[in-house]
């Protein structure tokens, strides 16, 4: 059974340890930055978005757990923006650890998030997925998400 709970402050460094390299790889692939520049950009953006870690107002970090209180195993996480005066939640990041992927946990985690958000009064859930992440797109599409727009990017001052 998948459950969600708030991330503890002592779990935040482990979150950063996988999130920053993962996000840096996405930045490098999508924006053509060298690995070191992409990693610096990822670290900078996270520091701006989560300056107080799990205590950052307007940001919610949840652990995805399996097994229950006595044998709880953290299998992934959600990073959410939950504006106070809105019924729209936004997923900044959703991650199931590689060793626990392909076991249906992503689908179960999204269903648990749906329940968690509904109980908090949210009516819509939005997210952004990288264009080259076919696996995630499939998970979201089969989970009821639909494409509402397309992000596009172009470097300034050079033609590609």
């Amino acid at each position: 059974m998948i459950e969600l709970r708030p991330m503890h402050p002592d779990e935040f460094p482990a979150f950063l340890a996988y999130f920053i390299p993962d996000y840096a790889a996405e930045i490098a692939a999508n924006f053509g930055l060298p690995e070191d520049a992409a990693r610096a950009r990822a670290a900078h953006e996270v520091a701006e978005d989560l300056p107080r870690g799990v205590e950052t107002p307007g940001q919610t970090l949840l652990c995805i757990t399996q097994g229950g209180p006595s044998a709880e195993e953290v299998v992934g996480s959600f990073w959410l923006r939950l504006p106070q005066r809105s019924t729209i939640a936004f997923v900044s990041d959703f991650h199931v650890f590689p060793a626990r992927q392909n076991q249906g946990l992503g689908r179960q985690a999204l269903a648990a998030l749906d329940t968690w958000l509904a109980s908090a009064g949210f009516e819509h859930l939005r997210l952004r997925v990288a264009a080259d992440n076919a696996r995630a797109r499939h998970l979201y599409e089969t989970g009821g998400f639909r494409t509402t727009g397309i992000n596009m990017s172009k470097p300034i001052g050079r033609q590609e």
Side-chain angles (χ1 to χ4, degrees):
M1 171 116 192
I2 289 294
E3 295 184 5
L4 305 177
R5 67 158 172 79
M7 184 179 290
H8 303 305
D10 64 339
E11 294 170 315
F12 186 66
F15 168 79
L16 292 177
Y18 81 77
F19 178 76
I20 290 176
D22 188 64
Y23 184 40
E26 182 181 319
I27 290 170
N30 288 308
F31 299 102
L33 290 179
E35 186 178 321
D36 59 335
R39 189 174 178 92
R41 179 173 162 184
H44 177 75
E45 287 183 21
V46 171
E48 282 188 337
D49 291 342
L50 294 169
R52 293 178 45 202
V54 300
E55 302 297 328
T56 302
Q59 307 287 339
T60 299
L61 293 161
L62 300 174
C63 287
I64 303 166
T65 66
Q66 184 177 37
S70 62
E72 176 188 83
E73 175 189 3
V74 176
V75 298
S77 64
F78 282 107
W79 171 7
L80 307 169
R81 280 191 312 214
L82 306 175
Q84 286 185 338
R85 290 181 212 94
S86 176
T87 59
I88 301 169
F90 186 85
V91 176
S92 294
D93 185 60
F94 168 40
H95 185 76
V96 173
F97 299 135
R100 300 308 308 271
Q101 292 176 3
N102 298 315
Q103 300 172 25
L105 300 180
R107 196 171 267 67
Q108 292 175 49
L110 285 173
L113 181 62
D114 226 42
T115 301
W116 190 87
L117 289 169
S119 71
F122 287 89
E123 298 174 0
H124 295 277
L125 179 58
R126 296 182 180 161
L127 55 80
R128 180 198 163 277
V129 61
D132 65 350
N133 194 340
R135 185 175 173 186
R137 287 182 62 180
H138 176 74
L139 173 65
Y140 299 137
E141 288 167 355
T142 60
F145 287 84
R146 64 181 181 83
T147 302
T148 58
I150 297 173
N151 292 322
M152 298 180 79
S153 177
K154 166 190 170 331
I156 301 297
R158 69 178 197 233
Q159 295 298 316
E160 293 195 7

